Amino acid sequence: MEKKKKLYYRYNVPSNKEKKLNALQKKRLASVWIPKMIVCFLFLVIGICSISVYKMMFFPRIQLEGSSVITIPYESKYEELGYLSSYQGKDLTNQVKVHGKVNFKKLGEYPITYTVTYHGRTVSKTRVVKVVDNKKPKIEFTTDKSNLYICPNTKYLYDDYQAIDNYDGNITDLVEVKETGNVMRYQVQDTFGNRTVVERKILYKDVEKPKLILDASNTIMLMVGDKFTDSTYKVSDNCSTDVKVKVTGEVDTRKPGEYLRVYKAVDDAGNVSKVEQKIIVMEPVKKGVIYLTFDDGPRSGTTDIILNVLKEKGIKATFFVTSGGPDDLIKRAYDEGHSIGLHTSSHDYSVVYSSVDSYFKDLKVVSDRVERITGEKSTLIRFPGGSSNTISRRYSSGIMSCLTQEVVKRGYRYYDWNIDSRDAEGGRFDSSQIANFVTSSLSHDKVNMVLMHDIKVTTKDAIGQIIDYGKANGYTFEAITPFTDMVTQRVNN
Ligand code: ZN
């Protein structure tokens, strides 16, 4: 054993001669190969530098703005980040040709190549645009987003959500829903691993109002004596099956007036839905009645005298006022039982008939004035020139067709006339002629709506004669009320 061990030892240990030879070899390697390698390296560096210098000296340069690899989300547009090109201080940016298209509707990598050629020497650079899907899918709810209300004693129907992904489309089927405690957790992942998680609190409670829809309009017009019946309706509820509907509010069709009928639906949880229906009971058409109507006032010196005559004769009439004249004459007319209507504030055709908005803006001014003075909102309207006027065509084509419908929609009623006293025709007629125009047109077979102007001196003198004639011939005089049937002319614009 001892001998073998010694042999082994001897075999591995070099002799002194061998040691000397090895050292010599290493010396030679160091003295020959290392300088050779340094020379090679220097040549390489010089080579690279020469190429760079050569390129710099003789080739144009392109410099990309922004990164050479960029990522954009699927379906968002790629916008060129810009580039610069020059050759020895000369700007060549305009000569750069850009090739390559990015299809933002398809995932992938799109190279964009920028090439410039100058004096036959071409240089190009490439930018890579990666279109990726990094958008999370969306989970949307048709009911409350943060709370999940479930009808008491029922189960969740899993029917109030959907998941939409920008790339995969509708992925509602992939949504995993888990109920833990009083939290419902919705989770979905798109093809590219973008994940969305939404949590909602579960509440076993009915918070939705019943749905109540009347089969009729919310405003019903009736004439005195007509029969009124409640409208039929449809009622439904998310939780309750048998929802009771109570109807309240008195309607008396024997009396003209505005009545309110309220339909009220209540579900088992006490949620309430209300629908209000307005029932307007109109006066019967009053044949043989004379409605004296006065436009354009009030005016001191005429309106007050007309009011005196009306008072003396015990007659009620209607005044369609503007923004002119003193407040106290409107107040007096109202207090003495006459009706106050609206004739626009400015009475300027070019203003009120320039547009529907302009008309209502002007009307509001006079409406506010009347409400301020009388404490009551007037719903009676007379259009300057009547609804049949053609002057409005100058300012807006078709405006009377719009306005006549729009005023009614907004709860007003408009009154034209069927007897013209012609008192506005520039003083052409004296008071007897004016009275005669009226009295000769009166009839017991129609409503007599008489147009007059309380700003005219001749009108105040004619009024007594008209009233005396009317009374002597079996006519009665009334003021227009919100329940008087409209008297309308043919619209011509
Ligand atoms: Zn007028």
Side-chain angles (χ1 to χ4, degrees):
M1 281 298 283
E2 187 68 15
K3 207 179 176 182
K4 261 188 186 171
K5 207 180 178 180
K6 263 188 177 170
L7 266 173
Y8 179 74
Y9 181 67
R10 267 184 61 85
Y11 181 79
N12 280 291
V13 178
S15 64
N16 281 342
K17 198 182 171 186
E18 278 170 333
K19 275 181 186 170
K20 271 184 184 172
L21 268 170
N22 273 343
L24 208 69
Q25 227 167 355
K26 276 182 187 167
K27 242 185 180 177
R28 200 179 286 164
L29 258 172
S31 60
V32 177
W33 286 105
I34 289 174
K36 273 187 182 176
M37 278 163 76
I38 289 170
V39 170
C40 275
F41 178 73
L42 282 175
F43 270 113
L44 194 69
V45 170
I46 290 164
I48 289 168
C49 288
S50 308
I51 290 166
S52 300
V53 170
Y54 172 73
K55 273 198 167 179
M56 252 167 63
M57 299 262 303
F58 303 107
F59 280 79
R61 290 179 49 172
I62 294 180
Q63 198 185 330
L64 298 185
E65 285 185 31
S67 173
S68 60
V69 178
I70 61 167
T71 302
I72 62 165
Y74 173 71
E75 280 196 323
S76 60
K77 277 195 178 170
Y78 163 68
E79 271 173 35
E80 175 56 50
L81 295 177
Y83 46 84
L84 292 167
S85 176
S86 61
Y87 175 68
Q88 292 187 352
K90 186 178 159 63
D91 186 13
L92 301 177
T93 307
N94 286 340
Q95 294 177 38
V96 174
K97 285 183 178 141
V98 184
H99 290 285
K101 260 192 174 177
V102 177
N103 184 355
F104 58 89
K105 287 192 169 175
K106 203 178 165 201
L107 302 184
E109 291 187 5
Y110 300 91
I112 311 277
T113 314
Y114 306 78
T115 310
V116 67
T117 303
Y118 190 69
H119 288 314
R121 295 185 184 100
T122 300
V123 165
S124 59
K125 270 203 174 170
T126 303
R127 189 197 313 266
V128 177
V129 179
K130 291 180 179 175
V131 177
V132 298
D133 176 22
N134 54 8
K135 255 195 186 172
K136 287 179 178 183
K138 268 188 190 163
I139 297 179
E140 289 162 351
F141 299 99
T142 52
T143 54
D144 195 317
K145 269 182 204 169
S146 45
N147 295 311
L148 170 61
Y149 291 101
I150 302 174
C151 291
N153 307 316
T154 58
K155 279 193 171 173
Y156 183 39
L157 295 172
Y158 297 87
D159 61 351
D160 64 341
Y161 61 85
Q162 65 166 6
I164 304 289
D165 183 60
N166 64 325
Y167 190 78
D168 297 330
N170 192 322
I171 49 169
T172 307
D173 290 349
L174 303 179
V175 177
E176 285 170 29
V177 188
K178 243 189 193 175
E179 186 177 343
T180 32
N182 60 347
V183 171
M184 197 69 85
R185 190 181 148 97
Y186 304 78
Q187 185 177 309
V188 73
Q189 191 167 310
D190 72 7
T191 314
F192 298 94
N194 301 300
R195 207 162 67 112
T196 298
V197 179
V198 179
E199 286 186 347
R200 292 206 286 173
K201 210 174 163 189
I202 308 167
L203 294 145
Y204 286 89
K205 200 175 167 190
D206 175 14
V207 289
E208 248 179 71
K209 288 179 183 177
K211 285 193 181 89
L212 176 62
I213 299 161
L214 295 194
D215 294 326
S217 156
N218 284 10
T219 304
I220 287 183
M221 304 282 274
L222 295 173
M223 297 299 287
V224 164
D226 281 355
K227 207 185 154 201
F228 169 72
T229 42
D230 276 326
S231 304
T232 52
Y233 51 78
K234 284 178 192 79
V235 66
S236 60
D237 188 67
N238 60 323
C239 293
S240 309
T241 46
D242 186 27
V243 180
K244 297 267 183 307
V245 177
K246 260 193 175 178
V247 190
T248 52
E250 189 215 4
V251 179
D252 185 354
T253 61
R254 289 168 303 176
K255 276 192 213 157
E258 202 177 287
Y259 302 93
L260 200 65
R261 200 85 172 134
V262 182
Y263 297 72
K264 189 172 153 190
V266 186
D267 67 13
D268 294 343
N271 300 303
V272 178
S273 275
K274 257 191 205 175
V275 178
E276 289 184 350
Q277 193 177 48
K278 210 192 265 178
I279 293 108
I280 299 170
V281 178
M282 302 294 293
E283 291 167 353
V285 175
K286 292 180 169 172
K287 285 180 183 171
V289 167
I290 299 171
Y291 294 94
L292 294 180
T293 66
F294 299 95
D295 290 7
D296 300 357
R299 184 184 173 188
S300 294
T302 48
T303 306
D304 38 0
I305 292 169
I306 286 169
L307 286 170
N308 290 346
V309 177
L310 295 173
K311 194 176 186 181
E312 183 197 316
K313 309 238 177 226
I315 296 300
K316 303 292 177 231
T318 306
F319 292 84
F320 288 102
V321 302
T322 65
S323 280
D327 286 357
D328 56 358
L329 282 176
I330 293 178
K331 174 86 174 120
R332 184 185 157 192
Y334 179 80
D335 288 346
E336 291 180 0
H338 304 292
S339 291
I340 310 296
L342 313 171
H343 193 39
T344 71
S345 167
S346 65
H347 204 288
D348 183 343
Y349 289 73
S350 69
V351 172
V352 300
Y353 294 144
S354 62
S355 70
V356 171
D357 278 353
S358 181
Y359 173 83
F360 281 103
K361 212 172 150 190
D362 187 282
L363 186 76
K364 191 185 180 304
V365 178
V366 69
S367 174
D368 289 349
R369 181 190 190 197
V370 169
E371 195 180 350
R372 174 175 55 78
I373 297 168
T374 67
E376 209 179 297
K377 217 176 169 77
S378 176
T379 54
L380 313 177
I381 278 178
R382 172 159 291 155
F383 291 110
S387 67
S388 62
N389 83 80
T390 49
I391 304 167
S392 55
R393 266 190 224 148
R394 282 189 217 161
Y395 310 107
S396 180
S397 173
I399 190 156
M400 296 318 298
S401 306
C402 289
L403 286 179
T404 45
Q405 288 179 29
E406 194 57 37
V407 293
V408 174
K409 258 192 221 163
R410 299 194 190 193
Y412 295 100
R413 305 182 65 69
Y414 70 92
Y415 298 86
D416 288 319
W417 56 88
N418 53 24
I419 297 174
D420 185 355
S421 70
R422 303 182 71 178
D423 63 346
E425 292 179 27
R428 270 175 70 196
F429 307 111
D430 63 26
S431 56
S432 301
Q433 284 173 303
I434 287 165
N436 195 43
F437 285 135
V438 175
T439 55
S440 63
S441 305
L442 294 173
S443 165
H444 285 284
D445 298 325
K446 67 172 187 192
V447 168
N448 299 282
M449 191 66 74
V450 184
L451 171 68
M452 306 182 95
H453 297 82
D454 56 322
I455 54 166
K456 301 285 178 187
V457 178
T458 42
T459 307
K460 73 176 172 52
D461 297 330
I463 202 86
Q465 298 171 49
I466 295 168
I467 295 170
D468 290 345
Y469 176 91
K471 280 183 170 176
N473 289 277
Y475 290 96
T476 50
F477 292 84
E478 284 187 25
I480 297 170
T481 77
F483 311 108
T484 304
D485 212 23
M486 296 202 298
V487 170
T488 60
Q489 297 166 353
R490 208 176 81 98
V491 173
N492 293 310
N493 174 29

